[in-house]
Amino acid sequence: MSALTFGKALNAGLRHSMEADSKVVLMGEDIGKLGGVFRITDGLQKDFGQHRVIDTPLAESGIVGTAVGMAYRGFRPVVEIQFDGFVYPAFDQIVSQVAKLHYRTHGQVSMPLTIRIPFGGGIGSPEHHSESPEAYFAHTAGLRVVSPSNPQDAYVMLQQAIACNDPVVFFEPKRRYHERGEVDLDGGMAGPDLGSAVIRRRGTDVTLVAYGALVKTALDAATAAEDDGISIEVIDLRSLSPVDYATVEASVKRTGRLVVTHEAAQTLGLGAEIAASITERCFYHLEHAPVRVTGFDIPYPYSKLEMHHLPDLDRILDGVDRAMDRPNSLSSLEG
Amino acid sequence: MSALTFGKALNAGLRHSMEADSKVVLMGEDIGKLGGVFRITDGLQKDFGQHRVIDTPLAESGIVGTAVGMAYRGFRPVVEIQFDGFVYPAFDQIVSQVAKLHYRTHGQVSMPLTIRIPFGGGIGSPEHHSESPEAYFAHTAGLRVVSPSNPQDAYVMLQQAIACNDPVVFFEPKRRYHERGEVDLDGGMAGPDLGSAVIRRRGTDVTLVAYGALVKTALDAATAAEDDGISIEVIDLRSLSPVDYATVEASVKRTGRLVVTHEAAQTLGLGAEIAASITERCFYHLEHAPVRVTGFDIPYPYSKLEMHHLPDLDRILDGVDRAMDRPNSLSSLEG
Amino acid sequence: MSQPAGHRDEGLIQLIDPSGRRTPNEELDPWVTDVDVDALRGLHTDMVAIRRIDQEGTALQRQGELALWPPLLGQEAAQIGAGRALEDDDFIFPSYRETGLAYCRGVDAEDTLRVWRGNAYSGWDPFGKNMATPQIIIGAQTLHAAGYAMGIKYDGGSQAAITFFGDGATSQGDVNEAMVFAASYQAPVVFFCQNNHWAISEPVELQSNTHIADRPVGFGIPSLRVDGNDVLACLAATRIALDRARTGNGPTFIEAVTYRMGPHTTADDPTRYRDANELDLWAAKDPIERLEKHLAGLGLDTAELQAGAAVVADAVAEKLRKAIIGLQDPQPMDVFENVYSQPHATLDRQREHYALYQQQFADAGSATEGGAR
Amino acid sequence: MSQPAGHRDEGLIQLIDPSGRRTPNEELDPWVTDVDVDALRGLHTDMVAIRRIDQEGTALQRQGELALWPPLLGQEAAQIGAGRALEDDDFIFPSYRETGLAYCRGVDAEDTLRVWRGNAYSGWDPFGKNMATPQIIIGAQTLHAAGYAMGIKYDGGSQAAITFFGDGATSQGDVNEAMVFAASYQAPVVFFCQNNHWAISEPVELQSNTHIADRPVGFGIPSLRVDGNDVLACLAATRIALDRARTGNGPTFIEAVTYRMGPHTTADDPTRYRDANELDLWAAKDPIERLEKHLAGLGLDTAELQAGAAVVADAVAEKLRKAIIGLQDPQPMDVFENVYSQPHATLDRQREHYALYQQQFADAGSATEGGAR
Ligand SMILES: Cc1ncc(C[n+]2csc(CCOP(=O)(O)OP(=O)(O)O)c2C)c(N)n1
Ligand SMILES: Cc1ncc(C[n+]2csc(CCOP(=O)(O)OP(=O)(O)O)c2C)c(N)n1
Ligand SMILES: [Mg+2]
Ligand SMILES: [Mg+2]
């Protein structure tokens, strides 16, 4: 085991995948000499050459569209989108081509693309640099969508995503890039299935579902809640499409209460789907309606106000209070 | 009152808006001489000229992006996207510009765009011609999203959308274009608020929420259910962002049961949001988990199979049976 | 100031003029020295065959056997010229109108047509034919071709990629980005634009006020503007472009100037937007008649030539009609297949539930679907 | 075959060379006959002022007063040349680097900078200044400019629209589509590309293997390739383009060849990807020094010239620093403002709930936010 930052763990995962399979190529803006604006591809062009780590022209549709062509040719492209807010020019290629080609060709053409997207806020960035577009992709049939929350998962899940024959949109919680954790570099891609959720902390009173950057916040909230005598079970979703409902369902059947948190807007965010699906599966076990603690239905605000958009420990605990029928911010509305 | 087809009602609505405000201009592919592939703009270029009904180059990002510029200049552009599956090249301009400019400029720049999109399936079309992308837009803060279900609403809501100072994505259920209904052409844009839902049929046992093409199917289902002694309240959502929860909530509080139907994929479709929100608001009134009867999580299938993707009368009634705890397709899974 | 050239009329490369006369062209001539009378006859037969397939498509649509059909009428020379220039392992990324290319690749006509019946989204295995299946999103396939060609370069292959698209497509961002990528990596790709003068109801002048062939030059890609109704010129131009690709000289752009003689699709009514005179003008430049005149000039008997081609076309048409009408409808549960290549929990559950739903009807003993109630 | 020209070195239009010498140019000369010594002095002062604002931006970022800053160092001539050619009612659609254009439009420097502090997404009223606020999505603004220009044409206005973007932006579909629309409608728009040789770490050669100014020509848009460090040439070229726009001659494209002397933004480390020699080469072509040499040649005392400019720059800088540091933080509930112009039930409910949530902390008597627990 080695202590690595999240970013270095991703770098190691890329390196490992490239060593394992010569068809793995990286494509993106500034990923070569610069190593990407977050340095995730640092050193890889030097070691693997310009034909495997490809600096591309500044055109996201072009990047994804040519990656589709590379996949036709037998390559396994890993695309870097520089920031979350810059994926939309590639939306058509992702939704109409990447997601649909396997279906369109009755399984004859595979699209083993990995589309890496640093996502989420909390780093004081300008507009378009802090978005959470995951719901757009999780709503799109044909794509798999995942997000690791810690260095070990970053390392393993990235390799699993690259090895997967289906296209995977890989959301990296950029505000965790510099956080460290133990990584089993010798373990390769061994680990829980790419589509599975993991219970990060056991608890009995309420199930708290998070993914990406908010898993850490959720764990902190669980620790804080302990002092108030509340036992929170924290589930790291990891996979956003498919959602591992078996794990969430089993947990909610134990706790009877569910809180989901994410940075994305509330309306039609992952929380909506999870609340709806868990209500379908656990209706008679639920003691309170599932609670969502999410970003608001607003464009991501300028950075001086971002903490008023992002769920934090206090907002999550307020949500837990709501789910537990304890006094909370909305108590005055009841009755 | 005049009996008009849905398509002609839209045409009349456009004409009325163009007469009322010289800043209203139409932009799109083939909307001029041809009158659009669905003839919705038929005759308008002849009557209003090429400067008001603008045939554009074949580039959706270009159409929406130049419409943004026209709005800066004080125009009120109404954009036609030829088919649902062709909106994605414009996704970046819609999500990052149209939706955000009012916020970005602290309210100084308005984006009174209407983006008309014929949507949905059931007409035996090739790939990309039958999609239901509404959830992408309803998840996008800054946009309003609506869908009329009948000629009268088509006429009124289109004028309201054009008059609205916020951008409106206007989904037209193309499979209803040829259906007729009474339209009050003298009423102008008088009618229920653009953001409001309408109860189309009163009922006491279960609330059935639909929008667009499926409103008719839902009404047919309600008629059929009457024979079985089931009283369905049918709500025509009309507005998908915002959803008129006041209306849905009041209904569900009366019936205790909710079924939502749409053609779009189930995961993160409107049904997820409505189920989650209504569960939040009506938890103690619900006698069964909200039921979703939707398209599957698949790319829209080729037309010979589309009836196995699209909710129809029977699938809706099966959903009603589930919501009512009557014998249904999934009964064998219970216990 | 660097000035655009504007729409000029000169500059259209031709080897056989509308009257059937062979016109010399220094640049193209060396590329067709091997094309003897037999080869020309072969091109003629090909054009006749795909015109027949196309007519059958239209007829089958009228009879309700197809949901829609996008005719290629008038574009036979462009498609056969290009198609016969390719090696089998060059990879084709077409739009929806390239019936002729599929024919050159040995795709059975029924496989080309069944997509338009609604029985499938793809009629053949792209890797079996080295040809992607129809692309409906305008211009999207040009990026795939550029990327495939980048792949050829990276894996050291000797093939080329070629992509087909229309005049309207040149307005799409994707097509322009494809040129950026192709030029930047000097990828072995051929951009083959069939300028058939119309994008549904929009004339090419709305998309571009200069020649389409001027566009790529500004991206650093050399171009050829050929008479798209001259099969020999199309063959030569494509050979030149492919040779450039194979010899490490990067991308080439071909504008084949032709005309869509039919409607955009069978759902379209071109009388709403275009002049009948225009049609007459282009009828006089018909690609098949032109080659017939040329071959007559070389001493071939036109009636005999036509009869020979008809034999081939008749056989194709007969097989096609039988196959299309005999096509089995797909199975309900097929809708769930091939969304993913590996299990997907959410979708698998939906499949299971729908199977139970379907089962009800079977249980109810109902012969037709939807009859349980 | 139509061949691209490739990267040539000739063809760069100049009026003042790096040594300060006035070089005659038939095409541009007539457009600057009115530019006397005073006017040149004004251009010099402008360039010094925006360089100072830029330095302050970098310094304020280092001091933690700004979150980020995108320097314009080296691009003063391009921005002032273009900015001073414009009429007040021409509408500007900039990217994020056009500090100089904002300055020309009378935007207070603190309003330009506060966006980068994170206090706002827009520092000024676009309609007050006839200039849109910074666009971060690469190339998106070029379509807005084309559309605005279409609007000018439709409402019979006499203005022009102008849009600024970088060399990297030319690869984006949007920029190419903007040229398609502008050409098709002959819209009165000027495309002003500051080719500063880099898109973050990517050299311009990755985006285009021919001159950027060649690109528009293929779209039917005439272009000028000017020395972007020559303020007089930039002024003249922009005047030509604006005149064409106003006289119904449609769009023009200007490539101003310049250099980004600083990092991409304060978050960037250019030593990772570019050679120090390149910097030296361009330092020798510095736009401000060049004008100083030219003015010295006209008899002006350089020290006095610099001192005069410094007075202006100092005043701007002092006001700027005070204003930035004195900026009030926005209010929590501001996040909900201006998403829509009219009530939106779902958002209004979220606002109401968040107000109640905030209220808790106030009720708890906590001075700081987040301290209720
Ligand atoms: C992205 C997208 N936008 C719109 C359409 C609708 N559409 C189908 S074909 C067509 C015209 C295409 O014209 P052109 O590129 O000249 O090809 P042609 O049909 O003439 O072969 C249009 C607008 C589409 N298929 N895809
Ligand atoms: C759509 C999009 N993709 C990527 C980025 C990230 N990005 C910001 S600036 C930049 C380089 C722009 O280069 P250029 O157009 O030459 O302008 P310059 O910064 O040199 O002025 C990139 C890649 C972005 N802002 N928008
Ligand atoms: Mg065409
Ligand atoms: Mg640059």
Side-chain angles (χ1 to χ4, degrees):
Chain A
M1 299 288 268
S2 324
L4 287 187
T5 62
F6 200 114
K8 292 275 181 222
L10 290 168
N11 182 276
L14 289 172
R15 181 179 289 277
H16 205 263
S17 293
M18 295 181 78
E19 281 164 357
D21 182 349
S22 66
K23 289 298 183 188
V24 174
V25 294
L26 315 189
M27 303 173 69
E29 296 158 8
D30 304 295
I31 66 168
K33 265 194 195 165
L34 185 62
V37 293
F38 290 110
R39 309 290 186 267
I40 305 303
T41 56
D42 194 22
L44 297 177
Q45 188 178 66
K46 206 175 104 261
D47 295 346
F48 292 95
Q50 294 198 354
H51 282 194
R52 304 239 359 236
V53 181
I54 306 168
D55 265 331
T56 63
L58 208 179
E60 287 75 12
S61 188
I63 298 171
V64 175
T66 54
V68 167
M70 297 274 285
Y72 262 102
R73 181 71 188 174
F75 288 87
R76 205 169 264 281
V78 183
V79 161
E80 175 173 306
I81 299 291
Q82 199 161 81
F83 278 88
D84 33 63
F86 308 148
V87 70
Y88 307 121
F91 203 69
D92 180 56
Q93 284 286 345
I94 296 175
V95 164
S96 298
Q97 307 300 328
V98 176
K100 292 194 173 79
L101 266 162
H102 193 258
Y103 196 75
R104 177 182 307 148
T105 61
H106 307 272
Q108 283 155 335
V109 176
S110 291
M111 279 293 128
L113 264 77
T114 302
I115 301 177
R116 295 181 39 240
I117 308 180
F119 86 124
I123 62 164
S125 275
E127 203 185 356
H128 310 291
H129 289 72
S130 303
E131 302 189 4
S132 294
E134 63 272 18
Y136 295 126
F137 301 100
H139 180 55
T140 304
L143 303 176
R144 292 176 189 272
V145 184
V146 303
S147 182
S149 71
N150 61 59
Q152 170 67 22
D153 271 10
Y155 176 66
V156 173
M157 289 171 70
L158 184 49
Q159 293 177 69
Q160 291 176 329
I162 294 170
C164 179
N165 282 330
D166 295 325
V168 179
V169 186
F170 192 90
F171 281 102
E172 304 171 358
K174 67 172 91 81
R175 94 169 114 133
R176 304 289 177 220
Y177 273 156
H178 295 292
E179 296 187 8
R180 274 172 192 285
E182 291 297 319
V183 179
D184 179 9
L185 287 175
D186 303 327
M189 61 173 122
D193 190 90
L194 187 61
S196 65
V198 166
I199 299 176
R200 293 283 174 216
R201 181 188 169 115
R202 292 272 168 191
T204 53
D205 292 333
V206 56
T207 300
L208 174 57
V209 172
Y211 55 87
L214 288 184
V215 172
K216 183 172 184 298
T217 317
L219 287 168
D220 291 345
T223 303
E226 221 173 7
D227 298 341
D228 287 352
I230 304 173
S231 167
I232 302 182
E233 178 145 309
V234 177
I235 296 181
D236 179 356
L237 210 53
R238 294 170 20 108
S239 176
L240 314 186
S241 173
V243 168
D244 177 4
Y245 283 117
T247 297
V248 182
E249 178 178 346
S251 173
V252 173
K253 283 187 171 160
R254 285 193 300 272
T255 63
R257 299 173 193 272
L258 172 65
V259 176
V260 187
T261 186
H262 53 67
E263 297 183 15
Q266 175 158 306
T267 293
L268 286 162
L270 263 287
E273 180 57 42
I274 294 169
S277 291
I278 289 301
T279 304
E280 284 163 12
R281 292 167 184 247
C282 307
F283 187 65
Y284 294 106
H285 293 81
L286 281 176
E287 302 191 37
H288 190 280
V291 167
R292 293 182 277 171
V293 180
T294 70
F296 300 118
D297 290 353
I298 60 176
Y300 197 87
Y302 37 95
S303 58
K304 285 271 180 190
L305 289 183
E306 66 181 332
M307 69 286 217
H308 293 290
H309 175 59
L310 292 174
D312 59 9
L313 186 142
D314 284 311
R315 277 183 61 205
I316 290 175
L317 288 178
D318 182 57
V320 167
D321 286 341
R322 272 187 277 155
M324 304 263 311
D325 298 299
R326 288 162 46 97
N328 63 70
S329 65
L330 305 185
S331 297
S332 64
L333 297 178
E334 275 156 34
Chain B
M1 299 289 268
S2 324
L4 287 188
T5 63
F6 199 112
K8 292 273 181 225
L10 290 168
N11 181 276
L14 289 173
R15 179 179 293 277
H16 205 262
S17 292
M18 294 182 76
E19 282 164 358
D21 182 351
S22 65
K23 290 297 182 187
V24 174
V25 294
L26 315 188
M27 303 173 70
E29 297 158 8
D30 305 295
I31 67 169
K33 265 195 196 163
L34 185 63
V37 293
F38 291 109
R39 310 290 186 267
I40 305 303
T41 56
D42 194 24
L44 297 176
Q45 189 179 65
K46 205 176 104 259
D47 296 345
F48 292 95
Q50 295 199 354
H51 281 195
R52 305 246 349 244
V53 181
I54 306 167
D55 265 332
T56 63
L58 207 179
E60 287 76 10
S61 187
I63 298 171
V64 175
T66 53
V68 167
M70 298 273 286
Y72 262 104
R73 181 71 189 176
F75 288 87
R76 207 170 264 280
V78 183
V79 162
E80 174 172 307
I81 299 292
Q82 200 162 78
F83 278 88
D84 32 62
F86 308 147
V87 70
Y88 307 121
F91 202 69
D92 179 58
Q93 284 286 344
I94 296 174
V95 164
S96 298
Q97 308 300 329
V98 175
K100 293 194 172 76
L101 266 163
H102 194 256
Y103 196 74
R104 177 182 307 150
T105 61
H106 306 272
Q108 282 154 336
V109 175
S110 290
M111 278 293 126
L113 264 76
T114 302
I115 301 177
R116 294 180 39 240
I117 308 180
F119 86 125
I123 62 163
S125 275
E127 205 185 353
H128 310 291
H129 289 72
S130 303
E131 303 189 4
S132 294
E134 63 272 18
Y136 296 127
F137 301 101
H139 180 55
T140 304
L143 302 176
R144 293 176 187 271
V145 183
V146 304
S147 182
S149 70
N150 60 61
Q152 170 68 22
D153 271 10
Y155 176 67
V156 172
M157 288 171 70
L158 183 50
Q159 294 176 68
Q160 290 174 328
I162 295 170
C164 179
N165 283 330
D166 295 325
V168 180
V169 186
F170 192 89
F171 282 102
E172 303 172 0
K174 66 172 92 80
R175 94 169 116 134
R176 304 291 176 217
Y177 274 156
H178 297 291
E179 296 186 8
R180 275 172 191 285
E182 291 296 320
V183 178
D184 179 10
L185 288 175
D186 303 326
M189 61 174 125
D193 190 88
L194 187 62
S196 65
V198 167
I199 299 176
R200 293 282 174 217
R201 180 188 169 115
R202 292 270 169 193
T204 53
D205 292 333
V206 57
T207 301
L208 173 58
V209 172
Y211 55 88
L214 288 184
V215 171
K216 182 171 184 297
T217 317
L219 287 167
D220 291 345
T223 303
E226 222 174 6
D227 298 341
D228 287 352
I230 304 173
S231 167
I232 302 181
E233 178 145 308
V234 177
I235 297 183
D236 179 355
L237 211 53
R238 294 169 20 106
S239 176
L240 315 187
S241 174
V243 167
D244 177 4
Y245 282 116
T247 297
V248 182
E249 177 178 348
S251 172
V252 173
K253 282 185 171 159
R254 284 193 300 273
T255 63
R257 301 174 193 270
L258 172 65
V259 175
V260 187
T261 186
H262 53 68
E263 298 184 14
Q266 176 160 305
T267 292
L268 286 161
L270 263 287
E273 180 58 43
I274 294 168
S277 292
I278 289 301
T279 304
E280 284 162 11
R281 292 166 185 247
C282 306
F283 188 65
Y284 295 105
H285 294 81
L286 280 177
E287 303 190 35
H288 189 281
V291 167
R292 294 182 274 171
V293 179
T294 69
F296 300 118
D297 290 354
I298 60 176
Y300 197 88
Y302 37 95
S303 57
K304 285 271 179 189
L305 289 183
E306 66 180 332
M307 70 286 217
H308 292 291
H309 175 61
L310 292 174
D312 60 9
L313 185 144
D314 283 311
R315 278 183 61 204
I316 290 175
L317 288 179
D318 182 57
V320 167
D321 286 341
R322 273 186 277 154
M324 303 263 310
D325 299 298
R326 287 162 47 97
N328 64 71
S329 64
L330 305 184
S331 296
S332 62
L333 297 178
E334 276 157 33
Chain C
M1 197 173 319
S2 300
Q3 290 283 2
H7 274 288
R8 311 144 304 196
D9 252 350
E10 85 285 11
L12 195 60
I13 303 171
Q14 226 174 39
L15 291 181
I16 302 177
D17 76 11
S19 70
R21 200 165 42 101
R22 178 74 165 78
T23 55
N25 180 291
E26 243 180 72
E27 195 174 12
L28 268 61
D29 284 341
W31 295 90
V32 288
T33 51
D34 64 318
V35 183
D36 56 15
V37 176
D38 271 1
L40 287 171
R41 226 188 138 123
L43 295 171
H44 176 264
T45 304
D46 286 344
M47 292 198 288
V48 170
I50 66 170
R51 180 168 289 186
R52 176 67 72 84
I53 295 172
D54 188 55
Q55 284 164 342
E56 293 296 328
T58 298
L60 284 164
Q61 195 279 334
R62 293 230 179 87
Q63 293 155 27
E65 295 294 337
L66 300 184
L68 193 77
W69 177 248
L72 63 70
L73 191 68
Q75 302 179 214
E76 294 85 356
Q79 297 197 10
I80 293 300
R84 290 307 181 196
L86 293 165
E87 300 291 332
D88 283 350
D89 58 354
D90 294 327
F91 206 100
I92 305 173
F93 290 90
S95 81
Y96 41 83
R97 210 182 285 288
E98 276 69 68
T99 307
L101 276 298
Y103 178 80
C104 290
R105 274 299 154 87
V107 174
D108 288 334
E110 52 271 29
D111 285 338
T112 303
L113 266 70
R114 65 196 169 99
V115 170
W116 304 100
R117 186 180 172 91
N119 270 57
Y121 276 152
S122 287
W124 62 84
D125 177 358
F127 298 116
K129 303 294 183 188
N130 283 328
M131 175 166 174
T133 50
Q135 177 59 251
I136 287 178
I137 301 295
I138 299 295
Q141 75 278 13
T142 60
L143 279 169
H144 306 167
Y148 188 95
M150 287 164 61
I152 293 173
K153 196 159 178 180
Y154 294 150
D155 67 19
S158 59
Q159 306 84 354
I162 185 166
T163 180
F164 292 84
F165 52 98
D167 44 301
T170 61
S171 293
Q172 283 285 8
D174 273 8
V175 176
N176 293 282
E177 293 187 10
M179 290 196 267
V180 169
F181 278 68
S184 190
Y185 301 108
Q186 288 294 294
V189 57
V190 180
F191 294 96
F192 196 104
C193 177
Q194 290 174 76
N195 172 1
N196 66 6
H197 281 79
W198 291 92
I200 309 186
S201 75
E202 300 189 338
V204 60
E205 292 76 18
L206 181 63
Q207 318 287 345
S208 183
N209 62 7
T210 179
H211 284 320
I212 286 175
D214 294 340
R215 178 87 62 89
V217 180
F219 287 79
I221 299 176
S223 71
L224 292 154
R225 186 163 180 270
V226 299
D227 183 334
N229 286 12
D230 173 354
V231 69
L232 198 59
C234 290
L235 178 78
T238 311
R239 284 178 169 182
I240 291 175
L242 289 168
D243 182 67
R244 282 182 38 84
R246 292 206 182 87
T247 53
N249 289 302
T252 309
F253 190 107
I254 296 169
E255 178 191 358
V257 181
T258 177
Y259 194 77
R260 193 194 79 207
M261 296 296 288
H264 170 69
T265 65
T266 47
D268 180 39
D269 173 11
T271 64
R272 288 181 70 103
Y273 54 80
R274 73 180 182 187
D275 207 327
N277 294 335
E278 208 180 86
L279 233 87
D280 296 343
L281 225 68
W282 281 92
K285 307 186 197 171
D286 185 83
I288 296 181
E289 271 177 40
R290 179 186 310 204
L291 187 55
E292 286 171 356
K293 285 184 200 152
H294 177 64
L295 284 167
L298 296 180
L300 261 68
D301 178 68
T302 303
E304 192 255 355
L305 178 74
Q306 289 172 337
V311 171
V312 174
D314 288 347
V316 169
E318 201 187 349
K319 177 161 175 287
L320 164 61
R321 295 187 67 84
K322 267 209 200 107
I324 280 289
I325 291 167
L327 272 183
Q328 293 284 316
D329 276 353
Q331 291 301 306
M333 297 308 287
D334 290 353
V335 295
F336 297 101
E337 295 307 310
N338 296 311
V339 182
Y340 299 94
S341 65
Q342 291 157 33
H344 184 284
T346 307
L347 182 60
D348 294 344
R349 183 179 160 105
Q350 290 179 10
R351 179 195 282 116
E352 186 195 330
H353 286 192
Y354 193 61
L356 288 170
Y357 174 80
Q358 284 286 318
Q359 189 57 38
Q360 286 182 299
F361 299 104
D363 293 350
S366 158
T368 58
E369 293 137 9
R373 194 165 288 266
Chain D
M1 197 173 319
S2 300
Q3 291 283 1
H7 274 287
R8 309 146 306 198
D9 251 351
E10 86 283 12
L12 194 61
I13 302 171
Q14 223 173 43
L15 291 181
I16 302 176
D17 75 11
S19 71
R21 200 164 42 102
R22 179 72 164 78
T23 54
N25 180 294
E26 243 180 71
E27 195 174 12
L28 268 62
D29 283 342
W31 295 90
V32 289
T33 50
D34 63 318
V35 183
D36 57 15
V37 176
D38 271 0
L40 286 172
R41 224 187 140 124
L43 295 172
H44 176 264
T45 305
D46 286 345
M47 291 198 287
V48 169
I50 65 169
R51 179 168 290 187
R52 176 66 73 85
I53 295 172
D54 188 54
Q55 285 164 341
E56 293 295 330
T58 297
L60 284 164
Q61 196 280 333
R62 294 230 177 87
Q63 293 154 25
E65 295 294 337
L66 299 185
L68 193 76
W69 177 247
L72 64 70
L73 190 68
Q75 303 179 213
E76 295 84 357
Q79 296 196 12
I80 293 301
R84 290 307 182 198
L86 293 164
E87 301 290 333
D88 283 350
D89 57 355
D90 295 327
F91 206 99
I92 305 172
F93 290 90
S95 80
Y96 41 82
R97 211 183 283 289
E98 276 69 68
T99 307
L101 276 299
Y103 178 80
C104 291
R105 274 299 154 84
V107 173
D108 289 334
E110 53 270 29
D111 284 339
T112 304
L113 266 70
R114 65 197 169 99
V115 170
W116 304 100
R117 185 180 173 90
N119 270 57
Y121 276 151
S122 287
W124 62 85
D125 177 357
F127 299 115
K129 303 294 181 188
N130 283 329
M131 175 167 174
T133 50
Q135 176 60 251
I136 287 178
I137 301 295
I138 299 296
Q141 75 279 11
T142 60
L143 278 170
H144 307 167
Y148 189 95
M150 287 163 62
I152 293 173
K153 196 158 177 180
Y154 295 150
D155 67 19
S158 59
Q159 307 84 354
I162 185 167
T163 179
F164 291 84
F165 52 99
D167 43 304
T170 60
S171 293
Q172 284 285 10
D174 273 8
V175 176
N176 294 283
E177 292 187 10
M179 290 196 266
V180 169
F181 278 69
S184 190
Y185 301 108
Q186 287 294 296
V189 56
V190 180
F191 292 97
F192 196 104
C193 177
Q194 291 174 75
N195 172 1
N196 65 6
H197 281 79
W198 292 92
I200 309 187
S201 74
E202 300 188 338
V204 60
E205 290 77 17
L206 181 63
Q207 318 287 343
S208 184
N209 62 7
T210 181
H211 285 319
I212 287 174
D214 294 340
R215 178 88 61 91
V217 180
F219 288 79
I221 299 175
S223 71
L224 292 153
R225 185 162 179 269
V226 299
D227 184 334
N229 286 11
D230 173 353
V231 69
L232 198 58
C234 291
L235 179 77
T238 311
R239 283 180 170 180
I240 292 175
L242 290 168
D243 182 67
R244 282 180 38 85
R246 293 207 182 86
T247 53
N249 288 301
T252 309
F253 190 108
I254 296 170
E255 178 191 358
V257 180
T258 177
Y259 194 77
R260 192 194 79 206
M261 297 294 289
H264 171 68
T265 66
T266 46
D268 180 38
D269 173 12
T271 64
R272 287 182 71 104
Y273 54 80
R274 73 180 183 187
D275 206 328
N277 293 335
E278 208 180 87
L279 232 89
D280 295 343
L281 225 69
W282 282 92
K285 307 186 196 170
D286 186 84
I288 295 180
E289 272 177 38
R290 180 186 310 204
L291 188 55
E292 285 172 357
K293 285 184 200 151
H294 177 64
L295 284 168
L298 295 180
L300 259 69
D301 179 69
T302 303
E304 191 254 357
L305 178 73
Q306 288 172 338
V311 171
V312 175
D314 287 347
V316 170
E318 200 187 352
K319 176 161 174 290
L320 165 60
R321 295 187 66 85
K322 268 209 199 106
I324 280 289
I325 291 166
L327 271 184
Q328 294 283 315
D329 278 351
Q331 292 300 307
M333 297 307 288
D334 289 353
V335 295
F336 296 101
E337 295 306 311
N338 296 312
V339 182
Y340 299 95
S341 65
Q342 290 157 32
H344 183 284
T346 307
L347 183 60
D348 294 345
R349 181 178 159 106
Q350 292 178 8
R351 179 196 281 115
E352 187 194 330
H353 286 190
Y354 193 62
L356 288 170
Y357 175 80
Q358 284 286 317
Q359 189 58 37
Q360 286 182 300
F361 300 104
D363 292 351
S366 160
T368 58
E369 294 137 7
R373 191 165 288 264

